[in-house]
Amino acid sequence: MSIIIKYYARYRELTGKREEELQYDFKNISQVMEALEGKYPKLSKDEGKLVALNGRYANRDSVVKDGDSISLFPPVSGG
Amino acid sequence: MDLERYLSQISIKEIFPEGQRKIADTTVLVVGLGGTGSVMSELLVRMGIKKIILVDDDTVELSNLNRQSLYSENDVGELKVEAARRHLISINEHLEIEMIPERLDIDNGENIIKKSDIVLDGTDNYTSRGIINADCIKLETPWIFSAVEGTSGYVKAIIPRVTACLSCMNYPEEGEAVPCTVAGVLPSAVHSIGALASSIAIKTILGKESGNLYFFDVWKPLLESVSIERNKSCKTCGDGN
């Protein structure tokens, strides 16, 4: 299966990408995040990452299907 | 209602005909008078709220002046609530203002929040937002989450038991801020997020806000809307709490 990962804000600098395609049979968001945190270890330091699956908030158990688009937003605290 | 003052906004279909009266009847609490808090306070006052409560224990610093629009050079060293009061009264002399020169915390949060109809988040740290979230859910007071860093930020209306709250989306609930002078923030991003949060506040007052999370990057520029379902098992706003 093929999925698209889109990065936002400082995650673009952290990964050096705006988006990328991953090809692997992921079952859920948890597996996708494990793969991404392995590829970009600095991602794992950020608690409270916001993950959206096809424009809707996704939790770790959300099921991933071929052609899905996953957006990754960092937590932000400033005001 | 002062028709002449608000003529240009009353005539838009999103507010006409009853919206202006609802805006005027709303008591707004702004927690944190930094960059976003400055913009939200000023816009809501200009749009016609009659009563505002300002909470901040800080004083104005020179490094605030590039983005915090309530203050000018003469205010450096003064309490932010006092300098803000002076600025806001100069916009509308009939405005009722309550100043609370304290940091909102777990001890005073509930008593401060219960004075208001809606809370605007101008804070700069996870801990304060965690307190606002918990107290607003308990008191059933809607609040507008906003946060900004670099060239982008977030805005979300949190309407207790209706929309997802911060805990529903696993937003960190504890932790101090990295100061803007260290993390870096673009002043136009601060103003854009403050303006977007003001619009979402007005929509919430008028009962027209969905509760989506909005991500806005002013540099790309780019606006994304993420739909977030309320978690009915949420530890803060879940049905069992």
Side-chain angles (χ1 to χ4, degrees), chain B residues 21-53:
Chain B
R21 204 175 304 281
K22 286 184 182 174
I23 292 168
D25 288 342
T26 302
T27 297
V28 173
L29 166 63
V30 182
V31 183
L33 294 171
T36 52
S38 288
V39 174
M40 294 186 292
S41 303
E42 180 166 339
L43 272 176
L44 270 290
V45 168
R46 287 192 185 278
M47 289 189 73
I49 60 163
K50 297 280 177 59
K51 181 169 183 185
I52 190 166
I53 304 166

Side-chain angles (χ1 to χ4, degrees), chain B residues 16 33 39 87 90 106 120 166 174 187 200-201 220:
Chain B
F16 180 86
L33 294 171
V39 174
H87 183 88
S90 75
I106 202 160
L120 305 188
L166 279 199
E174 287 186 347
I200 299 303
K220 307 300 174 196

Side-chain angles (χ1 to χ4, degrees), chain B residues 5-21:
Chain B
R5 179 185 284 247
Y6 303 113
L7 190 59
S8 67
Q9 67 195 53
I10 291 172
S11 60
I12 66 170
K13 67 177 178 8
E14 284 80 1
I15 291 180
F16 180 86
E18 284 300 315
Q20 192 62 39
R21 204 175 304 281

Side-chain angles (χ1 to χ4, degrees), chain A residues 8-10 12 18 47-48 50 52 55-57 73-79, chain B residues 36 123-124 129 147-149 152 154 169-171 213 220 222 224 227-229:
Chain A
Y8 292 89
R10 66 172 183 268
R12 291 185 173 183
R18 294 170 65 94
E47 288 183 20
L50 181 74
R56 300 181 70 84
Y57 175 78
F73 301 90
V76 166
S77 72
Chain B
T36 52
T123 66
D124 63 359
R129 291 193 182 96
V148 61
E149 185 180 298
S152 62
Y154 300 105
M169 52 192 247
N170 293 316
Y171 185 82
L213 177 78
K220 307 300 174 196
L222 175 73
E224 295 275 351
S227 168
I228 304 180
E229 280 184 31

Side-chain angles (χ1 to χ4, degrees), chain B residues 60-189:
Chain B
V60 180
E61 298 175 18
L62 189 63
S63 62
N64 300 150
L65 300 186
N66 71 332
R67 65 195 184 284
Q68 300 185 12
S69 58
L70 290 174
Y71 318 117
S72 54
E73 287 181 354
N74 291 338
D75 300 323
V76 172
E78 190 166 13
L79 274 171
K80 284 187 172 179
V81 289
E82 179 54 39
R85 183 197 66 79
R86 207 166 41 242
H87 183 88
L88 295 172
I89 282 289
S90 75
I91 295 168
N92 185 343
E93 64 176 337
H94 301 298
L95 180 67
E96 188 181 339
I97 304 181
E98 180 175 348
M99 299 182 294
I100 303 178
E102 299 172 20
R103 187 181 178 93
L104 187 128
D105 60 28
I106 202 160
D107 295 321
N108 64 14
E110 197 173 323
N111 280 333
I112 292 172
I113 288 170
K114 72 182 180 187
K115 298 176 178 183
S116 68
D117 299 311
I118 187 168
V119 179
L120 305 188
D121 161 27
T123 66
D124 63 359
N125 65 89
Y126 298 125
T127 302
S128 294
R129 291 193 182 96
I131 294 167
I132 293 171
N133 190 53
D135 287 343
C136 280
I137 298 295
K138 184 177 179 184
L139 295 167
E140 303 205 338
T141 303
W143 72 284
I144 310 300
F145 159 63
S146 68
V148 61
E149 185 180 298
T151 63
S152 62
Y154 300 105
V155 175
K156 184 188 186 313
I158 294 170
I159 304 167
R161 322 273 178 205
V162 176
T163 71
C165 78
L166 279 199
S167 302
C168 291
M169 52 192 247
N170 293 316
Y171 185 82
E173 292 177 2
E174 287 186 347
E176 289 303 304
V178 178
C180 286
T181 47
V182 176
V185 67
L186 191 70
S188 56

Side-chain angles (χ1 to χ4, degrees), chain A residues 25-75:
Chain A
D25 285 337
F26 297 107
K27 287 181 181 168
N28 52 33
I29 292 291
S30 184
Q31 288 189 352
V32 174
M33 292 311 300
E34 279 177 27
L36 292 176
E37 287 170 2
K39 191 172 181 181
Y40 309 107
K42 287 182 180 174
L43 270 181
S44 60
K45 292 179 182 170
D46 251 351
E47 288 183 20
K49 284 185 283 289
L50 181 74
V51 183
L53 176 61
N54 301 323
R56 300 181 70 84
Y57 175 78
N59 60 39
R60 293 264 164 172
D61 298 327
S62 298
V63 175
V64 176
K65 301 186 298 296
D66 185 43
D68 278 347
S69 173
I70 294 170
S71 303
L72 211 55
F73 301 90

